[in-house]
């Protein structure tokens, strides 16, 4: 029944069956990780939080509309007044502009004479401009600038999280491939012993070989089977670790099957890293420090602004319309008024303290950026050295493997012709397998060093991160 179901699936869904049996590629793992890894999704959510805070900071420049009314319901006077006003903060100055409308009916006491309007009310517009303090910068604009920079910092931190996740995904994939290649080497070694057992068994039956030779081969067979079992365990463990990064469309971990193991070590060389030496400028953590310096600079400018005296100029134009009201025609002409407000801080220790604090923060962040820039350069150079050394060691390991294979092949041929020692044949085969495994380890070290270089240089293309 299982075979029938599998056959039907292959016939009805050939694309799915092909995808499930095709070798797993690094691109597939990286794309899955970039799309569904929980750490990356969480970091993107923090970017959206920063976007929300930036939008909230824009609320300081929202136009505000309010209506105020007052009506006397008892007493000698029966006046009613309704006043509406719209206020719009200026985005390039610490002041604001406003416009309003006011209408009144009835009578008011003399101390509320300003409440009277003509029959159709009074329209009024005005503005206040900061000439000294708050002219170039004020608290509203500073908060907006800091919030916008917070969005950039959140994106840089999200990039660092994504780079780290992709770096670990590359490691997990390469560990799985390397474990599979080691398993393949040990299974090939086991197959040699199993095939030789049949041949030795026939020779022992014919009396051409002593029976102890078969026992010795069985001993080697058991030892090689143990190596294969341990390698199988390593593959299963690597596949389990890889499931953290290989996920389905719903984000659930997927444990890759052994039949998707790549055929050769070419999968370990799938990561191509660009030669980029302008590293500190590209690293998100370095750019995040520069963004924090910009924030500290904005706070310093605001603190220095608070040390300045305040000089505000205001102007207002009003006009009553309609028939003359109860207080006569004196409200009908156009009215215009100007004024100013001046204040100067005598001590202002709070602002001086903020200035000192902001300058110290800028100095500290400047030293941090300098150290980080040097650290990144040293780190990248060290990784480049490691990559070059790993490539040379891999070339030596490949040469050793080729020589060991030639010796093992020659020794097997001599044994089959009856002129070689059985112990020496096994030793040659195991030495060749060890050389093959060492070559896999060397290739894995190259792949790991390249992945580390891609992360250190923030190579988004190599790590399959969308810009």
């Amino acid at each position: 029944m299982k075979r029938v179901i599998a056959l039907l699936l292959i016939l009805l869904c050939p694309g799915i069956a092909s995808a499930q049996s095709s070798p797993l590629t690094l691109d597939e793992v990286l794309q899955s990780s970039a799309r569904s890894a929980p750490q990356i999704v969480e970091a993107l959510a923090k970017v959206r939080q920063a976007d929300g805070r930036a939008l909230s900071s824009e609320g300081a420049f929202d136009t505000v509309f309010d209506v105020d009314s007052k009506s006397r319901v008892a007493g000698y006077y029966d006046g009613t007044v309704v006043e509406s006003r719209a206020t719009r903060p200026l985005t390039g100055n610490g002041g604001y502009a406003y416009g309003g409308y006011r209408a009144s009916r009835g009578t008011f006491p003399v101390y509320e004479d300003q409440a009277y309007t003509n029959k159709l009310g009074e329209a009024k517009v005005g503005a206040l401009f900061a000439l000294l303090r708050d002219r170039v910068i004020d608290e509203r604009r500073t908060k907006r600038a800091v919030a916008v920079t917070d969005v950039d910092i959140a994106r840089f931190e999200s990039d660092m999280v994504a780079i780290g996740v992709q770096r670990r995904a590359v490691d997990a994939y390469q560990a799985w491939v390397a474990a599979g290649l080691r398993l393949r080497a040990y299974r090939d070694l086991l197959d040699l012993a199993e095939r030789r057992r049949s041949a030795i068994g026939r020779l022992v039956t014919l009396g051409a070989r002593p029976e102890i030779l078969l026992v010795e081969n069985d001993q080697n067979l058991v030892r090689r089977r143990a190596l294969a079992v341990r390698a199988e365990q390593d593959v299963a463990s690597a596949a389990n670790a890889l499931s953290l990064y290989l996920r389905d469309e719903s984000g659930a971990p997927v444990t890759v099957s052994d039949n998707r193991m790549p055929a050769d070590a070419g999968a370990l060389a799938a990561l191509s890293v660009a030669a980029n030496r302008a590293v500190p400028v590209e690293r998100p953590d370095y750019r995040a420090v520069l963004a924090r310096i910009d924030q500290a600079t904005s706070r310093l400018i605001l603190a220095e602004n608070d040390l300045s005296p305040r000089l505000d100029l205001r102007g207002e134009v009003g006009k009553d319309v309609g028939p003359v009201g109860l207080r006569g025609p004196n409200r009908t002409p156009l009215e215009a008024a100007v004024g100013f407000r001046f204040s100067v801080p005598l001590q202002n220790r709070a602002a001086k303290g903020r200035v000192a604090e902001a300058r110290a923060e800028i100095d500290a962040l400047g030293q941090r950026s300098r150290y980080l820039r040097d650290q990144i350069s040293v780190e990248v150079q060290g990784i480049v050295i490691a990559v070059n050394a790993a490539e040379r060691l891999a070339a030596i390991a490949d040469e050793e493997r080729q020589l060991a294979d030639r010796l093992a092949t020659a020794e097997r041929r001599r044994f089959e012709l009856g002129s070689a020692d059985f112990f020496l044949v096994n030793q040659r085969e195991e030495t060749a397998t060890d050389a093959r495994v060492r070559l896999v380890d060397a290739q894995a070290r190259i792949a790991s060093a390249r992945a580390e270089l891609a992360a250190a240089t923030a190579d988004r293309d190599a790590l399959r991160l969308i810009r």
Side-chain angles (χ1 to χ4, degrees):
M1 180 60 70
K2 291 182 180 178
R3 293 180 179 177
V4 171
I5 293 175
L7 181 60
L8 289 175
L9 286 175
I10 292 174
L11 293 175
L12 296 176
C13 306
I16 296 176
S18 175
Q20 291 177 345
S21 61
S22 61
L24 180 66
T25 64
L26 179 60
D27 278 354
E28 184 178 345
V29 174
L30 291 178
Q31 290 173 7
S32 173
S33 176
R35 180 186 66 247
S36 304
Q39 303 99 313
I40 295 179
V41 175
E42 178 189 3
L44 292 176
K46 290 182 179 180
V47 174
R48 295 198 301 272
Q49 287 180 335
D51 285 331
R53 289 192 295 270
L55 180 60
S56 296
S57 69
E58 295 287 346
F61 300 92
D62 288 347
T63 300
V64 177
F65 178 77
D66 62 88
V67 178
D68 186 21
S69 66
K70 179 181 178 181
S71 180
R72 295 179 182 272
V73 297
Y76 182 79
Y77 299 100
D78 61 351
T80 297
V81 61
V82 177
E83 182 175 3
S84 63
R85 177 171 172 146
T87 304
R88 172 75 176 183
L90 301 177
T91 57
N93 189 275
Y96 56 89
Y98 63 91
Y101 173 78
R102 186 169 58 91
S104 65
R105 295 290 185 273
T107 59
F108 299 89
V110 65
Y111 49 82
E112 293 182 11
D113 183 72
Q114 74 279 1
Y116 286 104
T117 66
N118 282 358
K119 295 294 185 179
L120 295 183
E122 177 193 31
K124 183 178 294 186
V125 294
L128 182 143
F129 296 94
L131 301 181
L132 293 178
R133 185 192 298 185
D134 295 347
R135 181 177 65 86
V136 177
I137 193 69
D138 62 354
E139 187 174 0
R140 300 170 306 176
R141 284 175 282 174
T142 300
K143 287 183 176 180
R144 181 177 63 179
V146 170
V148 170
T149 309
D150 277 338
V151 176
D152 294 334
I153 293 174
R155 287 175 179 159
F156 295 145
E157 292 176 349
S158 173
D159 288 343
M160 285 304 298
V161 170
I163 288 172
V165 169
Q166 297 297 83
R167 164 77 171 87
R168 294 189 293 274
V170 172
D171 280 346
Y173 173 79
Q174 292 170 341
W176 176 71
V177 172
L181 295 175
R182 295 188 198 99
L183 174 60
R184 193 166 295 159
Y186 288 128
R187 281 178 174 171
D188 291 344
L189 183 64
L190 178 61
D191 288 342
L192 289 174
E194 288 176 342
R195 289 198 302 269
R196 187 179 297 121
R197 190 185 192 286
S198 300
I200 293 175
R202 287 193 299 270
L203 293 175
V204 169
T205 302
L206 296 174
R209 292 281 185 169
E211 187 176 355
I212 192 64
L213 187 62
L214 186 61
V215 175
E216 185 177 359
N217 185 78
D218 287 343
Q219 182 186 20
N220 288 327
L221 186 63
V222 171
R223 185 172 64 252
R224 294 179 182 185
R225 188 175 291 124
L227 291 174
V229 169
R230 283 196 293 268
E232 289 173 356
Q233 180 183 0
D234 292 341
V235 171
S237 298
N240 182 59
L242 182 59
S243 66
L244 280 175
Y245 309 99
L246 183 62
R247 296 174 179 267
D248 59 20
E249 294 298 329
S250 64
V254 175
T255 301
V256 62
S257 59
D258 292 344
N259 62 350
R260 301 201 64 190
M261 181 67 66
D264 52 41
L268 293 175
L271 190 69
S272 177
V273 184
N276 183 9
R277 292 297 177 265
V279 178
V281 179
E282 298 297 329
R283 279 276 292 259
D285 50 348
Y286 181 73
R287 298 177 68 184
V289 174
L290 297 183
R292 294 187 188 280
I293 292 177
D294 291 339
Q295 288 183 328
T297 303
S298 297
R299 286 191 287 268
L300 173 61
I301 295 173
L302 177 63
E304 292 175 341
N305 168 76
D306 293 341
L307 293 174
S308 303
R310 177 175 296 280
L311 178 61
D312 296 339
L313 176 66
R314 62 181 181 272
E316 184 178 86
V317 176
K319 180 72 170 68
D320 281 65
V321 294
V324 175
L326 293 178
R327 298 297 293 179
N330 59 337
R331 283 170 170 72
T332 301
L334 178 71
E335 296 179 349
V338 295
F340 72 90
R341 182 180 65 171
F342 178 79
S343 64
V344 57
L346 297 180
Q347 293 177 305
N348 209 348
R349 287 173 289 188
K352 292 178 181 178
R354 289 194 296 272
V355 169
E357 179 184 2
R359 286 176 176 169
E361 183 181 6
I362 292 173
D363 291 342
L365 290 172
Q367 292 302 318
R368 184 191 300 180
S369 67
R370 178 181 179 182
Y371 174 76
L372 185 58
R373 183 176 63 250
D374 297 340
Q375 182 186 30
I376 292 171
S377 299
V378 171
E379 177 185 356
V380 171
Q381 187 60 34
I383 297 172
V384 171
I385 294 172
V387 170
N388 294 333
E391 289 175 346
R392 292 197 300 270
L393 290 174
I396 295 172
D398 187 37
E399 183 179 0
E400 180 186 4
R401 179 193 60 80
Q402 294 176 15
L403 294 174
D405 284 344
R406 290 176 60 186
L407 285 173
T409 301
E411 203 65 39
R412 274 195 303 272
R413 187 177 300 112
R414 291 182 60 203
F415 178 77
E416 292 168 357
L417 296 175
S419 60
D421 182 73
F422 181 72
F423 175 79
L424 188 58
V425 170
N426 282 286
Q427 186 180 32
R428 296 293 191 196
E429 290 176 347
E430 292 175 3
T431 300
T433 300
D434 290 341
R436 182 177 172 183
V437 170
R438 283 194 296 272
L439 176 59
V440 171
D441 293 339
Q443 291 168 332
R445 282 193 294 270
I446 294 175
S448 178
R450 286 176 177 170
E452 189 175 357
L453 181 61
T457 57
D459 193 337
R460 300 178 62 89
D461 294 331
L463 297 174
R464 305 303 185 268
L465 290 172
I466 301 174
R467 292 186 179 274

